Amino acid sequence: MSPAARRVAGMGTTIFAEMSALAVRTGAVNLGQGFPDTDGPPVILDAAVAALRGGANQYAPGPGVPALRQAIARHQQRRYGIELDPDREVVVTTGCTEAIAGALLGLVDPGDEVVVLEPYYDSYTAMIDFAGGVRRPVTLRAPDFRLDPAELEAAVSDRTKLILLNTPHNPTGRVLDADELAAVARVATAHDVLVVTDEVYEHLTFDGRPHVPISTLPGMAERTLTLSSAGKSWSVTGWKVGWASGPAELVAALTAAKQWLTFTSGAPLQPAVAAALDAGDDFPAGLARDLQAQRDQLVAGLRAAGLTTYVPEGTYFATTDVSGLGWASGGDFCRALPERAGVVAIPSEVFYDDPDAPGSGRHLVRWAFCKRPEVIAEAVRRLGAADLSA
């Protein structure tokens, strides 16, 4: 008899752990896991040091330190015109990962259906399973990865509890446009379902594309729980400081679950994130410009190496199709790549329910460009010098 509970049996290690270990073992350039190789701005680092020296080293309040909850409310008002009560409509979490877990555990009962965009971030599926929910994927298909309103409508039933949205979207890099967001809002209001929206890449969009929170659309504020974090936009992914905001009853449901997860974390990091949010958007805006240049550098290099490559509109990631090189799957390609070329990437097939379905991701591969230009240049050089065919 296995000692593991059924809810975790078969889950194994994440693809990120597997591929990062492969990078270490082979000395490969790691373009797999999505973390930057440079630190965040002095304003956030210095504020963390000051908080450490100033004694902010014991438990923070469960919902988060007041200064951070207030700064999150100001950020949402300043950026999007969203008015929030920081005491009732904002909660601080251990990264957006805990916000996702708290939202699903706090809102989804066994048997409830959750509509999720596919490919999906892997923690979505794990936490839907933990909550006993039933996953209903709606696939974003290459080359444009657009949301099909008819497929979204077809995925919703009288058992649907919520739509789990992600824009800017990991791993495809899509930024959902006004028509797509309107389609989600139309379906959500018509069927009276909730929306949980993961917006961790909200500041990291390219080519002038705006990020529009779906909670700002008519009829959506009262049914939307918005999740985000400091990690991506301020290059402090290891801090794991995130948050959720929205109607008090939705925030309370998330908090009821969250209090039995970490309860609280990052006491000296929370006031530092508050300082970063209040400092304005200069650093995230500059980071987005740098990432756009790094995106262009990587996309050009991948194409020069013979890979069909799609240009992302946001996030840290670009996607390629390796079928033209004769590979049976992105997984086969990625597991061979470190020995072939000394580079690591992530097979997108693990982010699909059925990667062999028409238009799905059996042959897709995700590459991270949140790395210094010289690191990307070395990866591109290695790829260009290698035989990438199957």
Side-chain angles (χ1 to χ4, degrees):
M1 179 182 295
S2 169
R6 286 191 297 273
R7 72 176 62 89
V8 297
M11 284 190 174
T13 59
T14 71
I15 190 66
F16 305 106
E18 177 189 349
M19 300 311 295
S20 290
L22 189 57
V24 171
R25 187 166 70 249
T26 61
V29 177
N30 190 351
L31 300 187
Q33 199 162 0
F35 58 85
D37 54 5
T38 55
D39 281 336
V43 63
I44 195 170
L45 304 179
D46 293 346
V49 172
L52 284 164
R53 298 291 187 191
N57 299 302
Q58 309 310 322
Y59 292 128
V65 300
L68 178 51
R69 285 183 279 125
Q70 292 160 11
I72 292 164
R74 287 191 292 269
H75 171 272
Q76 294 300 93
Q77 199 286 325
R78 184 179 69 247
R79 288 279 300 188
Y80 310 119
I82 298 170
E83 300 289 345
L84 295 167
D85 177 351
D87 294 324
R88 300 173 61 249
E89 297 179 323
V90 179
V91 62
V92 177
T93 59
T94 304
C96 194
T97 303
E98 187 188 47
I100 293 162
L104 292 170
L105 292 172
L107 295 171
V108 175
D109 284 318
D112 286 346
E113 295 184 355
V114 177
V115 175
V116 60
L117 303 186
E118 181 185 65
Y120 37 65
Y121 183 56
D122 57 354
S123 81
Y124 298 170
T125 57
M127 296 317 303
I128 293 169
D129 288 348
F130 279 12
V134 178
R135 189 166 64 249
R136 298 297 184 210
V138 176
T139 305
L140 308 181
R141 295 181 174 83
D144 54 9
F145 300 108
R146 289 190 61 82
L147 174 62
D148 184 327
E151 291 190 21
L152 177 65
E153 177 70 41
V156 174
S157 76
D158 57 4
R159 295 181 298 279
T160 302
K161 182 64 177 288
L162 63 86
I163 298 169
L164 180 51
L165 197 64
N166 175 212
T167 181
H169 183 261
N170 171 15
T172 69
R174 265 309 311 285
V175 178
L176 298 191
D177 63 24
D179 290 341
E180 291 165 300
L181 292 174
V184 175
R186 187 165 56 249
V187 169
T189 54
H191 294 273
D192 192 25
V193 300
L194 303 174
V195 173
V196 174
T197 174
D198 174 354
E199 302 182 2
V200 296
Y201 293 99
E202 60 183 308
H203 292 279
L204 304 181
T205 64
F206 312 134
D207 305 312
R209 288 180 177 82
H211 165 68
V212 178
I214 195 166
S215 65
T216 61
L217 272 62
M220 293 306 295
E222 60 267 32
R223 67 179 67 251
T224 301
L225 187 62
T226 301
L227 316 180
S228 194
S229 77
K232 303 301 192 295
S233 294
W234 279 270
S235 295
V236 287
T237 58
W239 285 21
K240 298 298 289 181
V241 178
W243 52 84
S245 63
E249 62 271 22
L250 300 186
V251 170
L254 184 154
T255 304
K258 172 225 168 358
Q259 67 184 336
W260 305 114
L261 298 173
T262 62
F263 181 69
T264 186
S265 61
L269 304 179
Q270 292 191 34
V273 172
L277 288 171
D278 281 339
D281 302 329
D282 287 350
F283 179 82
L287 177 61
R289 289 192 296 271
D290 291 344
L291 285 170
Q292 181 174 322
Q294 290 158 217
R295 173 203 68 177
D296 294 344
Q297 178 188 11
L298 179 61
V299 167
L302 293 171
R303 288 176 170 173
L307 291 156
T308 300
T309 307
Y310 308 112
V311 180
E313 300 168 346
T315 77
Y316 282 174
F317 308 111
T319 296
T320 59
D321 186 327
V322 299
S323 59
L325 296 174
W327 291 93
S329 75
D332 291 346
F333 173 84
C334 288
R335 290 180 178 91
L337 190 63
E339 297 290 349
R340 288 281 192 98
V343 179
V344 160
I346 297 291
S348 298
E349 62 187 302
V350 300
F351 307 135
Y352 291 80
D353 275 18
D354 180 3
D356 290 317
S360 287
R362 178 65 76 190
H363 297 97
L364 300 183
V365 172
R366 192 194 81 169
W367 311 76
F369 52 83
C370 52
K371 310 296 179 181
R372 288 171 287 124
E374 58 267 32
V375 173
I376 296 173
E378 175 60 17
V380 165
R381 185 195 67 76
R382 294 184 184 193
L383 291 168
D387 179 5
L388 301 181
S389 59

